[in-house]
Amino acid sequence: MFHIIEQERQWRRDHGLPPGFESLRRSKPLVAVGADCPLGDTTRMADYFHGIDGLGGIHDTHKHLTPPETWKSLFAQSPPETDITSTTRSETKDDLSSPTSLFTPSFRPSHLEILRILDENPPDTISVIAIGPLTNIALAASHSPRTLMRAKSILVMGGAVNVPGNITPTAEFNTYADATAAARVYALTSPNPSSTMPPPPPPLSETPSLEEAPAEPLPSYPPKGELGDRRLKVLLFPLDITTQHTLRRDEFDAKTKLLIAKGSPLAEWTNAFLSSTFHKMETLHHGHEGGSASLSLHDPICVWYALTSAKDSSKWSIKEGEDLRVETAGQWTRGTYISDRRDRKPREGDNGEDEHVPGDTDGWLSSARGNRLGVCVQTPGERALAPLMLDTIFA
């Protein structure tokens, strides 16, 4: 992405246009490498939908838009400066320790960078946007739960609460891909985190492969007394709300067709991978033919909320305090969000420590047990996001 944006900025300059993307220049993002496997199972991929590279295979079909492989070296510690390394750099004229002009590579794993940023800023000033499996957030929580709880909020694209899933009949992919991580993160929203902590996953093998979960499960959180009174604030953006916000093929084509003809690298690159996505929607779902083929703007909704909710909160609605728990061990229901739909009166006044209460298995009726998630149930409009995105990206 950064590679394409650099090309796009140059193309715009060459055509007498404002280069755009000034926020990247003013506040260069830090990029860190995350975990390479989930906490609780083998790695699950969505390459059947997004392609082997996550972008519809464009690294093979559009090689001229693909950055050189040397970018990987940016995330490795530079060797000590010696006469040999100095001579090599001068001869190759390629300083791999220098970051791109649009981002700064980190030598720390992403969960430690998350904790560093939270620790260096006042509480309730940093929001974390999680648009994939929650593995890195769970690692941060395990390393220092009290530091993670300094976050203003964790905005999570994940889950299917009252609608079908998109990877199984009941599960959404991000949660399904690491259900253990999601369950552990959500447990920090609970008055009593131990009440919703998932059981340790069974060992996969004596010598796990690179695609398997770590051999040793993460430890439990400290007792609630040691965690203090503060709890993690998680806002969930499930399929229930994200699926309704779509980008149609015909509106995308109308915005980009002329730009592609003029040679815009960004328009060409975006068209390459979105064409693959629109085609996949046609092959998998009913009602996605021709210009009416559309894709849901799952991840952008979280960013939209982060950028606009503070300015006009009346257009957003969050249902607070939802006790949603993630199934981590079910044969058919892994990654499913479970809630109590019974018409039962809650139990008040208990301390949340009793694990076995007659008539209330697992403490669903307890006011001191269970998770407390916020769930987005209203946005500024289902058709408001797509034109806003297109106008912003291709301004």
Side-chain angles (χ1 to χ4, degrees):
M1 181 184 71
F2 293 109
H3 176 70
I4 293 299
I5 291 175
E6 288 177 325
Q7 292 187 10
E8 176 73 11
R9 284 172 57 86
Q10 186 59 52
W11 177 83
R12 293 182 184 183
R13 292 190 197 97
D14 294 343
H15 287 74
L17 301 171
F21 300 98
E22 292 304 321
S23 59
L24 286 177
R25 308 288 297 182
R26 291 193 301 268
S27 181
K28 187 186 297 187
L30 183 72
V31 178
V33 177
D36 59 4
C37 62
L39 299 183
D41 209 325
T42 55
T43 300
R44 306 297 174 121
M45 305 295 290
D47 49 0
Y48 80 96
F49 188 88
H50 295 293
I52 193 65
D53 58 4
L55 293 172
I58 64 171
H59 289 102
D60 290 328
T61 61
H62 293 70
K63 293 183 182 295
H64 62 291
L65 297 177
T66 301
E69 289 295 300
T70 51
W71 67 267
K72 296 179 181 179
S73 300
L74 295 173
F75 296 92
Q77 289 278 10
S78 300
E81 187 68 21
T82 65
D83 291 341
I84 295 177
T85 57
S86 177
T87 301
T88 300
R89 288 195 179 105
S90 65
E91 290 178 351
T92 60
K93 297 180 181 180
D94 184 17
D95 185 358
L96 298 180
S97 67
S98 297
T100 176
S101 61
L102 295 181
F103 75 92
T104 300
S106 170
F107 298 142
R108 297 186 184 93
S110 63
H111 70 281
L112 296 183
E113 282 292 5
I114 292 170
L115 294 174
R116 180 189 64 80
I117 293 170
L118 290 171
D119 189 53
E120 292 178 358
N121 290 274
D124 296 317
T125 60
I126 302 295
S127 291
V128 179
I129 304 175
I131 55 174
L134 295 181
T135 313
N136 295 318
I137 310 298
L139 290 172
S142 177
H143 192 85
S144 181
R146 296 189 66 168
T147 301
L148 185 67
M149 290 190 293
R150 292 167 63 92
K152 178 180 179 180
S153 58
I154 310 292
L155 309 179
V156 175
M157 190 281 116
V161 179
N162 293 305
V163 297
N166 62 2
I167 187 67
T168 73
T170 60
E172 174 274 333
F173 178 81
N174 288 344
T175 305
Y176 176 84
D178 199 343
T180 298
R184 288 184 62 96
V185 171
Y186 298 164
L188 282 181
T189 70
S190 174
N192 185 2
S194 65
S195 68
T196 58
M197 280 286 281
L204 298 176
S205 63
E206 294 183 2
T207 55
S209 71
L210 292 177
E211 293 186 345
E212 291 185 356
E216 295 295 329
L218 296 179
S220 300
Y221 296 133
K224 64 179 183 179
E226 295 181 21
L227 288 174
D229 296 330
R230 188 180 178 95
R231 288 295 178 264
L232 190 65
K233 182 177 182 180
V234 172
L235 300 184
L236 189 68
F237 296 80
L239 296 183
D240 309 52
I241 193 73
T242 63
T243 304
Q244 305 166 23
H245 298 71
T246 58
L247 171 66
R248 288 171 54 104
R249 175 189 273 153
D250 52 11
E251 63 183 326
F252 175 77
D253 289 345
K255 189 70 176 181
T256 60
K257 186 175 182 180
L258 183 58
L259 291 171
I260 294 172
K262 291 182 177 180
S264 163
L266 180 60
E268 180 187 359
W269 180 70
T270 309
N271 178 69
F273 71 80
L274 285 188
S275 292
S276 172
T277 306
F278 288 131
H279 176 70
K280 183 60 67 172
M281 292 299 294
E282 283 186 309
T283 62
L284 291 178
H285 298 280
H286 298 291
H288 287 265
E289 290 81 27
S292 66
S294 63
L295 56 92
S296 295
L297 302 174
H298 302 294
D299 300 343
I301 288 185
C302 296
V303 180
W304 190 24
Y305 177 87
L307 292 175
T308 66
S309 61
K311 297 177 182 178
D312 192 355
S313 60
S314 64
K315 294 182 178 180
W316 294 88
S317 180
I318 304 294
K319 191 175 182 181
E320 302 283 0
E322 292 293 284
D323 183 7
L324 297 172
R325 311 184 193 182
V326 175
E327 176 59 63
T328 62
Q331 179 181 3
W332 309 115
T333 57
R334 191 181 80 167
T336 300
Y337 283 61
I338 309 297
S339 62
D340 191 351
R341 302 171 188 267
R342 300 172 297 176
D343 184 20
R344 298 281 298 275
K345 293 182 178 180
R347 289 192 296 113
E348 302 290 347
D350 66 298
N351 60 13
E353 298 295 339
D354 296 329
E355 295 186 9
H356 304 289
V357 176
D360 186 22
T361 302
D362 298 324
W364 287 95
L365 304 177
S366 170
S367 60
R369 297 173 70 86
N371 295 327
R372 302 291 185 270
L373 305 184
V375 180
C376 181
V377 295
Q378 177 184 310
T379 73
E382 295 175 8
R383 293 302 307 153
L385 181 54
L388 174 63
M389 283 183 57
L390 292 175
D391 289 343
T392 302
I393 295 170
F394 299 107

